[in-house]
Amino acid sequence: MQAKQNKEYIQYFPFTASYADYDVIWEQPIFSTRAHVFQIDPNTKKNWVPTSKHAVTVSYFYDSTRNVYRIINLDGSKAIINSTITPNMTFTKTSQKFGQWEDSRANTVYGLGFSSEHHLSKFAEKFQEFKDAARLAKEKSQEKMELTSIPSQKRREYFTVSLNPFISQLEV
């Protein structure tokens, strides 16, 4: 969604912001499907509690500013699922048309019931794809942090030593 150059308040899940002088691109849906949504009963941790009476839209979103992937399901303006995919998450197919994952940040387990094996497989495939992308983004971020944590003199030495073979080849 793009915000236009104006002073209107724009509601876009889950933030409300004012945009005065610039365009902003927020999270974009990158894959959507329909499924029955469940959450594990917080008291028993055994039984599934339906959060919808019928199949609803469940979407993967990508936030390019934070480089994160999320699974989102809305009931009007209320988020039923707002789960950031992390490298340590696992989506498990528990039957031909049902799958689940644990979101430790939300302290819950989500379950999705699909109309077909194909829809379940496609959702699971995308989960793995975005989980791998989250892992790569985390690794890149850690590399960047490690590099910036090197004192500037050491960083210059590191780059000078690292680049010397290439520089000497260019001088030939």
Side-chain angles (χ1 to χ4, degrees):
M1 174 175 193
Q2 259 188 321
K4 305 228 183 218
Q5 291 185 339
N6 59 35
K7 294 188 185 219
E8 293 177 24
Y9 282 91
I10 299 168
Q11 176 70 39
Y12 184 78
F13 178 78
F15 308 102
T16 302
S18 173
Y19 303 100
D21 300 313
Y22 49 87
D23 284 346
V24 176
I25 297 175
W26 290 62
E27 291 183 285
Q28 298 292 315
I30 50 179
F31 177 81
S32 294
T33 189
R34 295 187 62 78
H36 292 270
V37 177
F38 299 85
Q39 280 184 273
I40 202 77
D41 183 323
N43 299 321
T44 65
K45 301 281 187 193
K46 293 181 182 179
N47 302 321
W48 288 108
V49 177
T51 62
S52 61
K53 294 178 183 171
H54 49 79
V56 294
T57 301
V58 178
S59 301
Y60 285 102
F61 278 74
Y62 176 64
D63 180 345
S64 60
T65 59
R66 297 185 312 145
N67 203 19
V68 296
Y69 294 86
R70 296 192 303 156
I71 301 169
I72 296 175
N73 164 249
L74 298 176
D75 181 9
S77 62
K78 181 183 176 197
I80 305 302
I81 301 174
N82 181 6
S83 183
T84 300
I85 300 172
T86 63
N88 60 338
M89 285 180 151
T90 303
F91 183 81
T92 306
K93 294 180 187 180
T94 57
S95 72
Q96 291 180 333
K97 297 180 186 178
F98 193 87
Q100 67 184 53
W101 76 97
E102 181 178 0
D103 184 339
S104 58
R105 292 178 184 177
N107 195 29
T108 193
V109 178
Y110 293 105
L112 298 176
F114 295 90
S115 61
S116 70
E117 288 181 58
H118 172 74
H119 287 111
L120 170 60
S121 293
K122 190 69 175 169
F123 187 89
E125 189 180 291
K126 291 293 182 184
F127 191 99
Q128 186 61 48
E129 178 184 330
F130 301 140
K131 174 183 161 177
D132 291 343
R135 180 184 48 77
L136 289 172
K138 183 178 180 181
E139 288 171 2
K140 259 186 176 177
S141 174
Q142 286 174 336
E143 287 172 7
K144 198 180 284 186
M145 286 180 63
E146 288 171 4
L147 188 58
T148 58
S149 68
I150 300 171
S152 60
Q153 180 59 38
K154 290 281 187 197
R155 204 173 330 157
R156 275 193 292 276
E157 291 170 12
Y158 172 78
F159 284 118
T160 304
V161 169
S162 299
L163 293 175
N164 274 342
F166 299 110
I167 293 170
S168 62
Q169 288 176 357
L170 291 173
E171 292 173 351
V172 173

